[in-house]
Amino acid sequence: MDLHGKRVGVLTHDGAVDAFHAPGILAYHDRGLNVAAWFGPEHGISGHAQDLIAVEIETDARETAKWYSLYGSSFASLKPSAAMLDGLDCFIIDLQDVGSRYYTFQATMLYCMEACAELGLPVMVFDRPNPIGRCVEGPGLEAGFESFVSVHPIASRHGMTIGELAKLYQVERVPKVDLTVVPCEGWTGNHAPEFVLPPSPNMPTVRTAWVYPGMCFIEGTNLSEGRGTTRPFEYVGFPDCDHYELLNRLNRMELPGVTFLPVDFLPTFQKHANQNCRGVFVYPTTDAFRPVRTGLAILIAFRDLLGDLFQWRTETYEFVSHIPAIDLLFGSDRERTMIETGARWQEIAKLWEPEEAAFRERRKPYLLY
Protein backbone atom coordinates (compact mmCIF):
# COMPACT_ATOMS: atom_id res chain seq x y z
CA MET A 1 0.00 0.00 0.00
CA ASP A 2 1.35 3.42 -0.95
CA LEU A 3 1.13 5.64 2.13
CA HIS A 4 2.16 8.83 0.32
CA GLY A 5 -0.39 11.53 1.06
CA LYS A 6 -2.44 9.24 3.32
CA ARG A 7 -3.64 10.26 6.78
CA VAL A 8 -2.45 7.42 8.97
CA GLY A 9 -3.02 6.34 12.55
CA VAL A 10 -0.14 4.55 14.26
CA LEU A 11 -0.31 2.17 17.23
CA THR A 12 3.23 2.02 18.60
CA HIS A 13 5.56 2.47 21.57
CA ASP A 14 9.22 3.14 22.34
CA GLY A 15 10.16 -0.52 21.91
CA ALA A 16 9.43 -0.19 18.19
CA VAL A 17 12.69 1.22 16.87
CA ASP A 18 14.19 1.50 13.39
CA ALA A 19 17.42 -0.11 12.17
CA PHE A 20 19.41 2.68 13.81
CA HIS A 21 17.54 2.28 17.12
CA ALA A 22 15.69 5.56 16.75
CA PRO A 23 12.20 5.52 18.34
CA GLY A 24 9.50 4.78 15.80
CA ILE A 25 7.88 8.17 16.25
CA LEU A 26 11.05 9.88 14.99
CA ALA A 27 11.41 7.36 12.17
CA TYR A 28 7.91 8.03 10.90
CA HIS A 29 8.58 11.75 10.81
CA ASP A 30 11.90 11.25 9.03
CA ARG A 31 10.12 9.27 6.33
CA GLY A 32 7.56 12.01 5.81
CA LEU A 33 4.46 10.04 6.80
CA ASN A 34 1.38 12.10 7.57
CA VAL A 35 0.56 10.73 11.01
CA ALA A 36 -2.80 12.15 12.05
CA ALA A 37 -3.19 10.13 15.26
CA TRP A 38 -0.94 8.20 17.63
CA PHE A 39 -2.26 5.29 19.72
CA GLY A 40 -0.51 3.78 22.74
CA PRO A 41 -0.98 0.26 24.20
CA GLU A 42 -0.59 -0.81 27.84
CA HIS A 43 2.37 1.01 29.45
CA GLY A 44 1.88 3.91 27.03
CA ILE A 45 3.65 5.06 23.91
CA SER A 46 6.63 6.02 26.05
CA GLY A 47 6.57 2.64 27.89
CA HIS A 48 6.70 4.34 31.29
CA ALA A 49 3.55 3.13 33.05
CA GLN A 50 3.55 0.15 35.40
CA ASP A 51 1.28 -2.86 34.90
CA LEU A 52 -2.45 -2.41 35.57
CA ILE A 53 -2.02 1.38 35.67
CA ALA A 54 -4.39 3.35 33.42
CA VAL A 55 -2.48 5.50 30.96
CA GLU A 56 -3.67 9.03 30.43
CA ILE A 57 -3.68 10.57 26.96
CA GLU A 58 -0.06 11.36 26.19
CA THR A 59 1.00 14.51 24.36
CA ASP A 60 4.08 15.95 22.74
CA ALA A 61 4.56 19.67 22.19
CA ARG A 62 6.20 18.98 18.84
CA GLU A 63 3.13 17.13 17.57
CA THR A 64 0.01 18.36 15.83
CA ALA A 65 -1.42 14.82 15.62
CA LYS A 66 -4.00 13.55 18.10
CA TRP A 67 -2.84 11.18 20.86
CA TYR A 68 -4.94 8.35 22.28
CA SER A 69 -4.43 5.77 25.02
CA LEU A 70 -5.77 2.25 24.48
CA TYR A 71 -5.27 1.28 28.11
CA GLY A 72 -7.51 3.29 30.39
CA SER A 73 -9.52 2.59 33.51
CA SER A 74 -12.16 0.34 31.93
CA PHE A 75 -12.41 -2.56 29.50
CA ALA A 76 -14.10 -0.23 26.99
CA SER A 77 -10.88 1.79 26.74
CA LEU A 78 -9.00 -1.11 25.10
CA LYS A 79 -10.61 -0.71 21.68
CA PRO A 80 -10.39 2.46 19.59
CA SER A 81 -13.73 4.14 18.97
CA ALA A 82 -15.06 5.17 15.57
CA ALA A 83 -14.43 8.80 16.55
CA MET A 84 -10.75 8.07 17.18
CA LEU A 85 -10.42 6.50 13.73
CA ASP A 86 -12.46 9.11 11.89
CA GLY A 87 -10.66 10.68 8.95
CA LEU A 88 -7.87 8.11 8.73
CA ASP A 89 -6.95 6.39 5.47
CA CYS A 90 -4.86 3.61 7.03
CA PHE A 91 -4.08 2.20 10.48
CA ILE A 92 -0.48 1.07 11.16
CA ILE A 93 0.39 -1.35 13.97
CA ASP A 94 4.07 -1.28 14.94
CA LEU A 95 4.68 -3.06 18.24
CA GLN A 96 7.54 -5.09 19.69
CA ASP A 97 5.92 -8.19 21.21
CA VAL A 98 7.61 -10.76 23.49
CA GLY A 99 6.05 -14.05 22.39
CA SER A 100 3.58 -14.77 25.20
CA ARG A 101 -0.22 -14.95 25.19
CA TYR A 102 -0.52 -12.85 28.33
CA TYR A 103 1.51 -9.95 26.96
CA THR A 104 -1.24 -7.60 25.97
CA PHE A 105 0.15 -5.88 22.88
CA GLN A 106 -1.15 -8.56 20.52
CA ALA A 107 -4.57 -8.32 22.22
CA THR A 108 -4.61 -4.58 21.55
CA MET A 109 -3.72 -5.36 17.94
CA LEU A 110 -6.72 -7.68 17.66
CA TYR A 111 -9.10 -5.09 19.10
CA CYS A 112 -7.76 -2.50 16.62
CA MET A 113 -8.20 -4.94 13.73
CA GLU A 114 -11.82 -5.44 14.79
CA ALA A 115 -12.46 -1.71 15.05
CA CYS A 116 -10.90 -1.03 11.65
CA ALA A 117 -12.85 -3.88 10.01
CA GLU A 118 -16.09 -2.32 11.21
CA LEU A 119 -15.18 0.90 9.37
CA GLY A 120 -13.51 -0.62 6.31
CA LEU A 121 -10.20 0.99 7.34
CA PRO A 122 -7.10 -0.83 5.98
CA VAL A 123 -4.59 -2.15 8.52
CA MET A 124 -0.83 -2.54 8.05
CA VAL A 125 1.22 -4.51 10.58
CA PHE A 126 4.96 -3.86 10.56
CA ASP A 127 6.35 -7.17 11.74
CA ARG A 128 9.16 -7.57 14.28
CA PRO A 129 11.14 -10.58 15.57
CA ASN A 130 9.85 -12.76 18.36
CA PRO A 131 12.71 -12.44 20.86
CA ILE A 132 12.19 -15.92 22.34
CA GLY A 133 12.02 -17.89 19.10
CA ARG A 134 9.69 -20.49 17.63
CA CYS A 135 9.05 -22.92 20.50
CA VAL A 136 5.41 -23.66 21.34
CA GLU A 137 4.71 -24.37 25.00
CA GLY A 138 1.86 -24.36 27.46
CA PRO A 139 -1.90 -24.83 27.56
CA GLY A 140 -4.45 -23.29 25.26
CA LEU A 141 -7.50 -21.24 26.25
CA GLU A 142 -10.82 -22.74 27.35
CA ALA A 143 -14.07 -20.98 26.46
CA GLY A 144 -15.29 -18.81 29.31
CA PHE A 145 -11.79 -17.79 30.44
CA GLU A 146 -11.16 -15.14 27.80
CA SER A 147 -9.67 -11.85 28.99
CA PHE A 148 -7.21 -9.16 28.00
CA VAL A 149 -4.39 -11.58 28.91
CA SER A 150 -5.99 -14.46 26.99
CA VAL A 151 -7.86 -12.86 24.13
CA HIS A 152 -7.77 -15.81 21.70
CA PRO A 153 -6.99 -19.56 22.02
CA ILE A 154 -3.28 -19.68 21.31
CA ALA A 155 -0.53 -21.40 23.29
CA SER A 156 0.96 -19.64 26.33
CA ARG A 157 4.24 -19.42 24.44
CA HIS A 158 3.08 -19.25 20.85
CA GLY A 159 6.36 -18.92 18.95
CA MET A 160 4.89 -16.48 16.42
CA THR A 161 5.62 -12.90 15.47
CA ILE A 162 3.01 -10.20 15.90
CA GLY A 163 2.54 -10.10 12.11
CA GLU A 164 1.94 -13.84 11.96
CA LEU A 165 -0.57 -13.54 14.79
CA ALA A 166 -2.33 -10.81 12.80
CA LYS A 167 -2.70 -13.22 9.87
CA LEU A 168 -4.07 -15.93 12.18
CA TYR A 169 -6.48 -13.45 13.79
CA GLN A 170 -7.67 -12.29 10.39
CA VAL A 171 -8.68 -15.82 9.42
CA GLU A 172 -10.03 -16.92 12.80
CA ARG A 173 -11.54 -13.70 14.15
CA VAL A 174 -11.63 -10.76 11.72
CA PRO A 175 -12.11 -12.07 8.16
CA LYS A 176 -13.38 -8.72 6.90
CA VAL A 177 -10.28 -6.74 7.83
CA ASP A 178 -8.18 -5.41 4.94
CA LEU A 179 -4.79 -6.56 6.28
CA THR A 180 -1.25 -6.12 4.99
CA VAL A 181 1.68 -7.58 6.95
CA VAL A 182 5.11 -6.13 6.15
CA PRO A 183 7.65 -8.88 6.98
CA CYS A 184 10.96 -8.43 8.80
CA GLU A 185 14.06 -8.33 6.64
CA GLY A 186 17.02 -10.51 7.55
CA TRP A 187 15.32 -12.53 10.31
CA THR A 188 15.17 -16.30 10.01
CA GLY A 189 12.79 -17.03 12.87
CA ASN A 190 15.43 -17.79 15.49
CA HIS A 191 16.06 -15.81 18.67
CA ALA A 192 16.25 -12.07 18.19
CA PRO A 193 19.61 -10.41 18.82
CA GLU A 194 20.18 -8.93 22.25
CA PHE A 195 19.74 -5.38 20.93
CA VAL A 196 15.97 -5.80 20.52
CA LEU A 197 14.69 -3.08 22.82
CA PRO A 198 12.33 -3.87 25.71
CA PRO A 199 8.76 -2.58 25.36
CA SER A 200 7.73 -1.89 28.97
CA PRO A 201 9.22 -1.00 32.38
CA ASN A 202 9.32 -4.56 33.72
CA MET A 203 10.69 -6.13 30.54
CA PRO A 204 14.22 -4.67 30.70
CA THR A 205 16.09 -7.28 28.62
CA VAL A 206 15.59 -10.14 26.20
CA ARG A 207 16.50 -12.48 29.07
CA THR A 208 13.43 -11.20 30.92
CA ALA A 209 11.29 -12.11 27.91
CA TRP A 210 12.80 -15.59 27.94
CA VAL A 211 11.53 -16.37 31.46
CA TYR A 212 8.30 -14.36 31.22
CA PRO A 213 5.93 -17.04 29.74
CA GLY A 214 6.24 -19.01 32.98
CA MET A 215 7.14 -16.40 35.53
CA CYS A 216 4.08 -14.32 34.69
CA PHE A 217 2.10 -16.98 36.61
CA ILE A 218 3.53 -15.42 39.76
CA GLU A 219 1.24 -12.42 39.13
CA GLY A 220 -1.65 -14.75 39.98
CA THR A 221 -0.33 -15.32 43.52
CA ASN A 222 0.78 -13.39 46.59
CA LEU A 223 4.44 -14.12 45.78
CA SER A 224 6.67 -11.32 44.53
CA GLU A 225 7.63 -11.67 40.87
CA GLY A 226 10.51 -9.28 41.44
CA ARG A 227 8.76 -6.08 40.39
CA GLY A 228 10.46 -3.20 42.10
CA THR A 229 13.90 -4.79 41.59
CA THR A 230 16.40 -4.81 38.74
CA ARG A 231 15.41 -8.41 37.91
CA PRO A 232 11.61 -8.51 37.42
CA PHE A 233 10.34 -12.01 36.59
CA GLU A 234 13.83 -13.46 37.06
CA TYR A 235 13.41 -13.13 40.83
CA VAL A 236 10.58 -14.80 42.73
CA GLY A 237 10.22 -14.81 46.49
CA PHE A 238 8.24 -14.28 49.67
CA PRO A 239 9.09 -12.62 53.01
CA ASP A 240 11.12 -14.88 55.30
CA CYS A 241 10.87 -17.85 52.93
CA ASP A 242 13.37 -20.67 53.54
CA HIS A 243 14.99 -20.18 50.15
CA TYR A 244 17.52 -22.97 50.62
CA GLU A 245 14.76 -25.49 51.17
CA LEU A 246 12.98 -24.01 48.16
CA LEU A 247 16.16 -24.46 46.15
CA ASN A 248 16.39 -28.12 47.20
CA ARG A 249 12.79 -28.75 46.16
CA LEU A 250 13.26 -27.12 42.75
CA ASN A 251 16.50 -28.95 42.07
CA ARG A 252 14.77 -32.27 42.78
CA MET A 253 12.18 -31.44 40.11
CA GLU A 254 14.79 -31.94 37.34
CA LEU A 255 13.67 -29.07 35.13
CA PRO A 256 15.60 -28.80 31.86
CA GLY A 257 17.91 -25.96 30.87
CA VAL A 258 17.68 -23.89 34.05
CA THR A 259 19.64 -23.23 37.23
CA PHE A 260 18.15 -21.78 40.41
CA LEU A 261 20.21 -19.54 42.65
CA PRO A 262 19.18 -18.53 46.20
CA VAL A 263 18.47 -14.82 46.41
CA ASP A 264 17.39 -12.13 48.87
CA PHE A 265 15.74 -9.05 47.39
CA LEU A 266 13.89 -5.95 48.58
CA PRO A 267 11.08 -4.79 46.25
CA THR A 268 10.75 -1.01 46.20
CA PHE A 269 7.13 -1.15 45.06
CA GLN A 270 4.23 -3.55 44.43
CA LYS A 271 3.96 -6.80 46.40
CA HIS A 272 5.86 -6.87 49.71
CA ALA A 273 7.36 -3.45 49.07
CA ASN A 274 10.28 -2.70 51.42
CA GLN A 275 10.17 -6.21 52.88
CA ASN A 276 13.04 -8.62 52.54
CA CYS A 277 11.95 -11.43 50.23
CA ARG A 278 13.79 -14.71 49.91
CA GLY A 279 13.47 -16.99 46.96
CA VAL A 280 15.31 -17.90 43.77
CA PHE A 281 16.87 -16.28 40.75
CA VAL A 282 15.66 -18.20 37.66
CA TYR A 283 18.68 -18.53 35.39
CA PRO A 284 18.18 -20.24 32.00
CA THR A 285 21.30 -22.05 30.82
CA THR A 286 20.41 -23.73 27.49
CA ASP A 287 17.75 -23.74 24.77
CA ALA A 288 16.26 -26.77 26.53
CA PHE A 289 14.77 -24.31 29.04
CA ARG A 290 10.98 -24.46 29.07
CA PRO A 291 9.67 -21.36 30.87
CA VAL A 292 6.02 -22.39 31.15
CA ARG A 293 6.86 -25.73 32.76
CA THR A 294 9.39 -23.99 34.98
CA GLY A 295 6.83 -21.43 36.13
CA LEU A 296 4.36 -24.22 36.90
CA ALA A 297 6.96 -26.11 38.96
CA ILE A 298 7.85 -22.95 40.90
CA LEU A 299 4.19 -22.45 41.86
CA ILE A 300 4.02 -26.02 43.16
CA ALA A 301 7.30 -25.74 45.07
CA PHE A 302 6.27 -22.51 46.81
CA ARG A 303 2.79 -23.79 47.65
CA ASP A 304 4.18 -26.99 49.16
CA LEU A 305 6.80 -25.06 51.14
CA LEU A 306 4.67 -22.15 52.40
CA GLY A 307 1.43 -24.00 53.07
CA ASP A 308 -1.38 -21.61 54.06
CA LEU A 309 0.92 -18.60 53.56
CA PHE A 310 0.73 -19.20 49.83
CA GLN A 311 -2.39 -17.66 48.31
CA TRP A 312 -3.89 -17.14 44.90
CA ARG A 313 -4.49 -13.54 43.90
CA THR A 314 -8.13 -12.54 44.46
CA GLU A 315 -8.11 -8.86 43.38
CA THR A 316 -9.49 -7.73 40.04
CA TYR A 317 -6.98 -8.56 37.35
CA GLU A 318 -7.00 -6.96 33.89
CA PHE A 319 -10.60 -5.78 34.31
CA VAL A 320 -11.90 -9.22 35.42
CA SER A 321 -13.12 -9.70 38.99
CA HIS A 322 -15.10 -12.97 38.86
CA ILE A 323 -12.30 -15.32 37.75
CA PRO A 324 -9.03 -15.84 39.68
CA ALA A 325 -6.04 -14.23 37.99
CA ILE A 326 -4.19 -17.54 37.82
CA ASP A 327 -7.06 -19.09 35.84
CA LEU A 328 -6.98 -16.20 33.37
CA LEU A 329 -3.25 -16.76 32.88
CA PHE A 330 -3.46 -20.55 32.50
CA GLY A 331 -6.58 -20.21 30.33
CA SER A 332 -8.79 -22.41 32.53
CA ASP A 333 -9.17 -23.60 36.13
CA ARG A 334 -7.64 -27.01 35.32
CA GLU A 335 -4.08 -26.21 36.41
CA ARG A 336 -5.08 -24.47 39.64
CA THR A 337 -7.37 -27.35 40.58
CA MET A 338 -4.65 -29.93 39.92
CA ILE A 339 -2.07 -27.93 41.90
CA GLU A 340 -4.49 -27.75 44.83
CA THR A 341 -4.98 -31.53 44.76
CA GLY A 342 -1.23 -32.19 44.87
CA ALA A 343 -0.44 -33.00 41.24
CA ARG A 344 3.21 -33.02 40.14
CA TRP A 345 4.27 -30.58 37.42
CA GLN A 346 4.97 -33.48 35.05
CA GLU A 347 1.37 -34.72 35.36
CA ILE A 348 -0.01 -31.30 34.45
CA ALA A 349 2.48 -30.67 31.64
CA LYS A 350 1.61 -34.07 30.13
CA LEU A 351 -1.89 -32.73 29.46
CA TRP A 352 -0.41 -29.83 27.50
CA GLU A 353 1.37 -32.02 24.96
CA PRO A 354 -1.60 -32.66 22.61
CA GLU A 355 -2.62 -28.99 22.89
CA GLU A 356 0.90 -27.89 21.97
CA ALA A 357 1.02 -30.28 19.02
CA ALA A 358 -2.36 -29.10 17.77
CA PHE A 359 -1.32 -25.45 17.93
CA ARG A 360 1.95 -26.14 16.10
CA GLU A 361 -0.13 -27.54 13.24
CA ARG A 362 -2.71 -24.77 13.39
CA ARG A 363 -0.15 -21.99 13.15
CA LYS A 364 1.73 -23.43 10.15
CA PRO A 365 -0.23 -21.59 7.41
CA TYR A 366 0.58 -18.24 9.02
CA LEU A 367 4.34 -18.54 9.52
CA LEU A 368 6.35 -16.09 7.42
CA TYR A 369 9.93 -17.14 8.22
Side-chain angles (χ1 to χ4, degrees), residues 129-153:
N130 181 332
I132 61 173
R134 290 307 210 184
C135 181
V136 170
E137 189 191 6
L141 171 64
E142 185 178 308
F145 290 86
E146 298 88 352
S147 70
F148 193 40
V149 291
S150 290
V151 73
H152 191 71

Side-chain angles (χ1 to χ4, degrees), residues 25 40 44-45 47 59 85 90 116 125 129 133 155-156 209 211 234 243 247 274 277 310 313 315 326 349 366:
I25 289 179
I45 291 178
T59 58
L85 302 174
C90 180
C116 290
V125 176
S156 306
V211 302
E234 294 179 271
H243 50 350
L247 184 69
N274 302 312
C277 291
F310 176 92
R313 180 181 187 143
E315 303 95 332
I326 194 65
Y366 311 106

Side-chain angles (χ1 to χ4, degrees), residues 81-273:
S81 66
M84 293 177 185
L85 302 174
D86 185 49
L88 300 180
D89 299 310
C90 180
F91 192 89
I92 293 173
I93 298 172
D94 187 8
L95 298 169
Q96 177 61 61
D97 196 35
V98 299
S100 180
R101 184 177 72 216
Y102 348 108
Y103 217 68
T104 61
F105 296 153
Q106 46 83 26
T108 298
M109 175 181 71
L110 174 57
Y111 294 148
C112 288
M113 290 170 62
E114 291 175 338
C116 290
E118 292 167 5
L119 300 174
L121 181 63
V123 174
M124 293 186 73
V125 176
F126 293 170
D127 207 8
R128 292 181 176 275
N130 181 332
I132 61 173
R134 290 307 210 184
C135 181
V136 170
E137 189 191 6
L141 171 64
E142 185 178 308
F145 290 86
E146 298 88 352
S147 70
F148 193 40
V149 291
S150 290
V151 73
H152 191 71
I154 59 177
S156 306
R157 181 184 178 188
H158 50 72
M160 300 177 74
T161 67
I162 199 162
E164 293 167 341
L165 282 171
K167 289 165 63 68
L168 183 149
Y169 290 162
Q170 179 188 34
V171 171
E172 298 187 355
R173 289 282 292 267
V174 201
K176 293 183 179 180
V177 69
D178 179 357
L179 175 69
T180 301
V181 174
V182 181
C184 305
E185 293 184 3
W187 188 64
T188 62
N190 296 318
H191 286 186
E194 286 289 334
F195 58 74
V196 168
L197 293 187
S200 63
N202 289 292
M203 191 63 60
T205 68
V206 171
R207 180 173 287 274
T208 318
W210 203 10
V211 302
Y212 178 81
M215 297 308 292
C216 187
F217 294 145
I218 306 304
E219 290 188 6
T221 73
N222 64 337
L223 307 175
S224 169
E225 64 270 18
R227 293 183 189 270
T229 77
T230 59
R231 295 284 189 173
F233 298 108
E234 294 179 271
Y235 287 172
V236 55
F238 190 81
D240 298 323
C241 171
D242 184 345
H243 50 350
Y244 288 107
E245 175 57 25
L246 177 70
L247 184 69
N248 290 334
R249 290 170 182 259
L250 287 170
N251 286 335
R252 289 198 297 268
M253 289 182 170
E254 300 181 339
L255 291 152
V258 63
T259 292
F260 300 101
L261 306 174
V263 66
D264 284 56
F265 60 93
L266 192 73
T268 58
F269 57 84
Q270 281 229 8
K271 298 177 191 170
H272 311 301

